[in-house]
């Protein structure tokens, strides 16, 4: 399998090179030249296997320059060494209304990002060797809260790597901030940015593609890579969990082989839902994809109108990991859906950069609408849904997942088909404890983030995750804060170059 850049179809790199580089030098994203397809018998053959075994088989389809043994070693390290609190790695919970939640947050940092970031360091260190790169890899990451911590946990003290994370100073939950500021490890750095997630992401992208910066790194035996979902190595593990969820639903007798189901994904950077779209192209019988947003609804507007317009106010919400106005991975979808029209992609994403806006033709919009619908919900609706789901099921959902549940229920009320609905559940509710506690009728007054955990446990009966409870005794190590235009200098200073 070779990979092209979304901005240059003539560029061909191996999977190892795509992962090692993270983003193409022209600013495009790496995409597979074709999408492998699985037959009903192939899906049957994945039954009875552990998550790690399934993952190794599926990785083989995309990461063709890795051997079976290497991939098995990677999945063993990531998914079978006790880093996930459930042996199944992911779990499916059923709600009284018949819908199902795909819980992807049983990893060490309590959000779905662990599913990919527990394995990415293993891919990356092997990719670097395969690509013949004899340099230290500097992982530069912009985070809306969850990627940062998951990447820090994954790359902590991994030989040959350093990691630097930038997060929006006032744009993450207090628990997310704690998780990052207390990160241990010799090769980690964390810094706040005076701005929002888009400022962090733009700052990081600019550093990546700055030839001056690349030269300075090369002279010091270093090179950049990315742990954001712009890195193909992040997306493949996410494709895997949708395939695996389908197989599990068959094993549990919820679905027949080939039976369609709908899927709702709470979305920010469009990575998680794009992974679901790839799984669908591979043959997972996903009927309709519902893209759920908070009031930063640039995606649901795009799906409704074909106009992507980031020129709008940015809102801080109770689902901060979706407070994003530039959804990077949409570029990959548009590349595939225009059959690899790289000139068109350059034009649209050039316009996004200079004017903050682009518009796709009606014909393409209709094809997108045939597969996706969008919906958005504000904080009040999100909290009301957390309260409702708790009252109906005794089940505690996080804020992002609740946005998804809102969108899933609205879709099912109007849909002509009655396919079973699976909703991606993206974080442990304790990560966004204050909003969740209020949503189920608790009080957050006079409560620091740890008191909130205790109150939530008392009220809900759900166990506080150990990874969050133990933060209380950890030292805060990182309190630096910079403006977006100070990021390049900060990176240089921290790297000592
Ligand atoms: C990252 C994140 C999202 C959004 O996922 P994308 O891949 O950026 O669309 C949703 N919920 C949570 C909890 C997240 O951490």
């Amino acid at each position: 399998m070779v990979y092209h850049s979304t901005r240059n179809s003539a560029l061909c790199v191996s999977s190892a090179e795509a992962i090692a580089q993270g983003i193409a030098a022209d600013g495009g994203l790496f995409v597979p030249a074709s999408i492998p397809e699985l037959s009903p018998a192939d899906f049957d053959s994945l039954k009875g296997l552990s998550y790690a075994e399934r993952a190794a088989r599926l990785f083989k389809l995309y990461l063709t320059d890795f051997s079976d043994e290497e991939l098995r070693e990677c999945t063993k390290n990531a998914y079978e060494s006790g880093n996930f609190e459930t042996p199944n790695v992911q779990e499916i919970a059923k709600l009284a209304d018949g819908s199902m939640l795909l819980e992807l947050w049983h990893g060490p940092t309590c959000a779905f990002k662990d599913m990919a970031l527990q394995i990415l360091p293993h891919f990356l260190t092997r990719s670097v060797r395969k690509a013949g790169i004899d340099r230290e890899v500097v992982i530069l990451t912009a985070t809306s809260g969850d990627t940062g911590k998951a990447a820090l946990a994954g790359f902590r003290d991994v030989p040959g790597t350093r990691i630097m994370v930038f997060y929006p100073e006032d744009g993450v939950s207090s628990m997310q901030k704690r998780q990052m500021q207390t990160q241990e490890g010799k090769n980690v750095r964390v810094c706040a940015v005076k701005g929002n997630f888009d400022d962090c992401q733009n700052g990081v992208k600019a550093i990546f593609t700055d030839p001056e910066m690349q030269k300075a790194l090369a002279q010091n035996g270093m090179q950049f890579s990315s742990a954001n979902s712009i890195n193909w190595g992040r997306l493949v593990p996410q494709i895997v969990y949708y395939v695996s969820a389908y197989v599990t639903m068959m094993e549990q007798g919820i679905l027949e082989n080939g039976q369609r189901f709908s899927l709702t994904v709470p979305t920010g950077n469009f990575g998680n839902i794009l992974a679901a779209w790839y799984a669908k192209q591979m043959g997972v019988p996903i009927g309709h994809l519902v893209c759920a947003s908070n009031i930063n609804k640039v995606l649901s507007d795009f799906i409704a109108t074909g106009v992507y317009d980031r020129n709008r106010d940015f809102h801080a919400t109770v689902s901060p990991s979706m407070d994003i106005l530039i959804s990077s991975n949409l570029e990959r979808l548009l590349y595939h859906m225009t059959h690899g029209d790289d000139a068109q992609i350059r034009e649209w994403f050039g316009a996004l950069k200079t004017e903050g806006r682009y518009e796709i033709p009606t014909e393409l919009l209709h094809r997108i609408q045939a597969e996706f619908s969008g919906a958005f919900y504000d904080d009040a609706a999100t909290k009301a849904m957390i309260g409702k789901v708790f009252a109906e099921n005794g089940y505690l959902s996080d804020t992002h997942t609740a946005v998804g549940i809102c969108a899933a229920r609205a879709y099912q009320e109007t849909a002509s088909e009655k396919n079973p609905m699976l909703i991606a559940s993206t974080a442990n509710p304790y990560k966004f404890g204050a909003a969740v506690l209020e949503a189920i009728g608790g009080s957050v007054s006079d409560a620091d983030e740890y008191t909130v955990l205790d109150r939530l446990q008392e009220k809900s009966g759900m166990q506080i995750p150990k990874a969050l409870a133990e933060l209380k005794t950890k030292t805060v190590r990182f309190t630096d804060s910079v403006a977006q235009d100070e990021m390049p200098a900060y990176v240089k200073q921290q790297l000592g170059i």
Side-chain angles (χ1 to χ4, degrees), residues 111-113 146 266-272 321-322 324 400 426-427 432:
F112 83 86
K113 306 294 200 293
D146 291 330
T267 307
N269 220 358
F270 208 75
N272 204 7
S321 301
M322 309 200 302
I324 292 177
H400 306 74
T426 51
F432 305 94

Side-chain angles (χ1 to χ4, degrees), residues 359-425:
E359 181 167 2
I360 61 168
T362 314
E363 175 275 331
L364 175 58
L365 176 62
H366 288 160
R367 283 192 287 123
I368 290 175
Q369 288 170 338
E371 296 198 65
F372 293 88
S373 57
F376 67 93
Y377 296 90
D378 65 10
D379 284 355
T382 306
K383 285 180 164 178
M385 185 55 81
I386 294 172
K388 191 162 187 246
V389 168
F390 185 67
E392 286 170 0
N393 303 272
Y395 184 90
L396 205 54
S397 132
D398 107 284
T399 47
H400 306 74
T401 306
V403 171
I405 300 173
C406 288
R409 291 195 176 182
Y411 172 74
Q412 286 201 297
E413 269 169 26
T414 56
S416 48
E417 34 80 8
K418 288 288 166 252
N419 293 332
M421 174 62 81
L422 183 69
I423 302 160
S425 174

Side-chain angles (χ1 to χ4, degrees), residues 218-234:
Q219 282 167 349
N220 287 276
M222 301 176 193
Q223 95 164 43
F224 285 129
S225 189
S226 167
N228 283 101
S229 55
I230 54 176
N231 192 321
W232 180 249
R234 267 278 303 269

